[in-house]
Amino acid sequence: MFTHLTLFLLATYFLFLAMNGYFLYRLCQSFTAIKENRWAKRMLFITLMLTSGMVIWIGDNNFAMTLPFYMTAFLITTKGDLLGRITVGGVFFCFIMSVCAMADTYLIPLDRFRCYDIASRLVRPLIFGLFYLIFYRHLKGKTIKLPHRLWKLCSGLTILPFTALSVLILPAYWMPESILLHNLNWFQGTVILPISLISSLVLLHSILVLADYEAKAQTAALTEMREVYYQGLKREQTQVHTLRHDLRNHLNAALGLLEHGETEQTFQYLLELTNSQTLHSSLCICENEIVNVVLSSKYEDMKQYKIITDLQISLPAALPIADTDLCALLSNALDNAIEAAQKSEDKQIAIQCKAERGLFMLRVKNSLTGDIHRDLSTTKKEKELHGFGLADMREITARYGGFLEAGAKNDIFELLVSIPLVPLQ
């Protein structure tokens, strides 16, 4: 009978621990990027699970002993901005320790009924689960990303709950004989522990708000860049149309010079007109005018860098995709391809773009050399000033209900965009 009861209590204890680890791991997934290795995921889950099962109350040194092991495991199993990982790890540690300290401290009166231990273990997954559900509707399976400057702000704010816990828990351990300090800490603990918990949760919410603000600011910046680029191409297109419209006048002028015997001047005039960049900058590849303008502009760049180009374009004059979005998709895809191809020995770019069977399809393949990040982020040093191209394309594709795939294999980078076409309104 004793053995069965012991096994039941142990099974219940580990079940509660596993529940703690599950809720905390799911929360952690949204606030920091976890390494893709299975061992890293398991290690982080076990770390969160064991930390959430730590017995801790006022005057207990488990707080200080757990921190170095917890932070080491957290940093080993996560990736991304180091300061961001330290900040998230610190906030989660304060959150976990606050819940554990409150559970172990406030439920001590239940010890007289011999249900203190089971109640302390039960309340933890209830609290962690409750706050997971509260944050769940804001998370939606995404991973929070903040620039380094905002992680600096959040890391400074993390000091508040960490200091509150340290001041409350550690002094009583180093001065165990001080009854006055012990009573004072117990009295303060009824207020400070909830404040530490609330401040940890407020910090997590603040990170969510900052991430949402940063995403909106980046979207606005991308939209502005997209519009500026589009307007530049429109001006070039207007110049082409103007030159073509005025071509008759140019020919009449040349004929007038010939009638007056100005042969040399006529030759110079026609030579200048023939070498005009505007006259040669527009290719007629398909029926879609904006695609022609973009490809004409990029084709000149590809010729300049001596890149072998294979174009297979078949698009109608009208598409249910805004000209600015279509311009941004093609421009960003070709800019990235040109930048990569010009650095490689085998300078090649293949572009396929067509609309058929209810789908807009864009495939760009280019030669590649050097390193490429697994998350396809920019390899340039000033990361805050670059790397918007792929994010812009993802945003446009998602907005139209399509998908984007990109990856490198055997020194070839391939981008595939697919967008469902709906009838124009």
Side-chain angles (χ1 to χ4, degrees), residues 81-355:
D81 189 291
L82 177 60
L83 183 59
R85 290 152 58 200
I86 293 174
T87 302
V88 172
V91 175
F92 267 82
F93 183 77
C94 293
F95 172 48
I96 296 170
M97 290 292 103
S98 297
V99 172
C100 293
M102 291 175 66
D104 290 335
T105 301
Y106 292 169
L107 298 179
I108 283 182
L110 295 179
D111 194 39
R112 70 181 68 177
F113 305 107
R114 297 185 179 182
C115 62
Y116 160 73
D117 188 65
I118 189 69
S120 176
R121 300 301 165 191
L122 176 61
V123 75
R124 300 183 193 203
L126 291 177
I127 295 176
F128 292 135
L130 173 64
F131 286 112
Y132 167 73
L133 292 176
I134 291 174
F135 279 98
Y136 178 77
R137 63 188 184 91
H138 297 286
L139 300 175
K140 299 178 181 178
K142 62 183 180 181
T143 300
I144 301 300
K145 292 184 179 179
L146 290 179
H148 189 73
R149 54 185 171 79
L150 291 182
W151 281 126
K152 285 183 180 180
L153 173 63
C154 294
S155 64
L157 296 176
T158 310
I159 296 175
L160 175 61
F162 186 82
T163 303
L165 279 176
S166 302
V167 170
L168 180 63
I169 294 172
L170 295 181
Y173 172 76
W174 298 115
M175 302 176 64
E177 304 300 328
S178 175
I179 299 177
L180 178 62
L181 180 60
H182 178 76
N183 293 335
L184 178 61
N185 276 352
W186 272 87
F187 175 75
Q188 290 177 335
T190 59
V191 178
I192 294 179
L193 281 177
I195 290 178
S196 176
L197 173 62
I198 292 172
S199 60
S200 300
L201 296 172
V202 169
L203 270 172
L204 290 178
H205 180 70
S206 300
I207 293 173
L208 284 175
V209 172
L210 287 173
D212 184 59
Y213 171 80
E214 186 67 16
K216 290 180 179 178
Q218 189 177 96
T219 300
L222 290 174
T223 303
E224 183 178 356
M225 291 168 58
R226 191 184 310 157
E227 183 65 24
V228 169
Y229 193 90
Y230 173 73
Q231 292 301 329
L233 288 178
K234 289 291 287 183
R235 284 194 297 270
E236 181 180 340
Q237 184 184 26
T238 301
Q239 291 175 357
V240 172
H241 288 167
T242 301
L243 183 57
R244 288 175 177 172
H245 182 266
D246 293 341
L247 187 57
R248 181 181 301 237
N249 295 330
H250 289 300
L251 293 176
N252 288 333
L255 287 173
L257 291 172
L258 286 175
E259 289 177 354
H260 289 81
E262 301 290 344
T263 307
E264 182 65 26
Q265 190 174 354
T266 303
F267 176 77
Q268 292 296 330
Y269 184 88
L270 292 176
L271 182 63
E272 182 180 346
L273 181 61
T274 304
N275 293 331
S276 172
Q277 184 66 27
T278 308
L279 188 62
H280 292 280
S281 62
S282 182
L283 298 176
C284 186
I285 301 173
C286 65
E287 297 179 10
N288 192 284
E289 193 66 30
I290 192 66
V291 173
N292 287 333
V293 173
V294 174
L295 290 178
S296 298
S297 175
K298 300 306 175 184
Y299 189 75
E300 293 299 322
D301 294 336
M302 288 184 276
K303 283 202 307 182
Q304 178 183 349
Y305 294 116
K306 298 180 180 179
I307 298 174
I308 301 174
T309 308
D310 179 19
L311 294 176
Q312 298 180 31
I313 312 296
S314 177
L315 292 173
L319 286 169
I321 302 175
D323 284 347
T324 52
D325 293 332
L326 188 58
C327 172
L329 277 175
L330 290 171
S331 299
N332 285 317
L334 295 181
D335 282 342
N336 293 339
I338 293 171
E339 180 182 354
Q342 67 172 303
K343 297 177 182 178
S344 66
E345 295 181 2
D346 185 20
K347 304 179 186 295
Q348 293 191 31
I349 296 178
I351 307 164
Q352 294 177 301
C353 191
K354 59 184 178 180

Side-chain angles (χ1 to χ4, degrees), residues 393-412:
M393 287 186 284
R394 289 190 189 280
E395 186 273 328
I396 295 171
T397 305
R399 182 152 38 85
Y400 285 94
F403 72 88
L404 182 149
E405 293 181 354
K409 185 178 181 181
N410 298 329
D411 293 330
I412 296 294

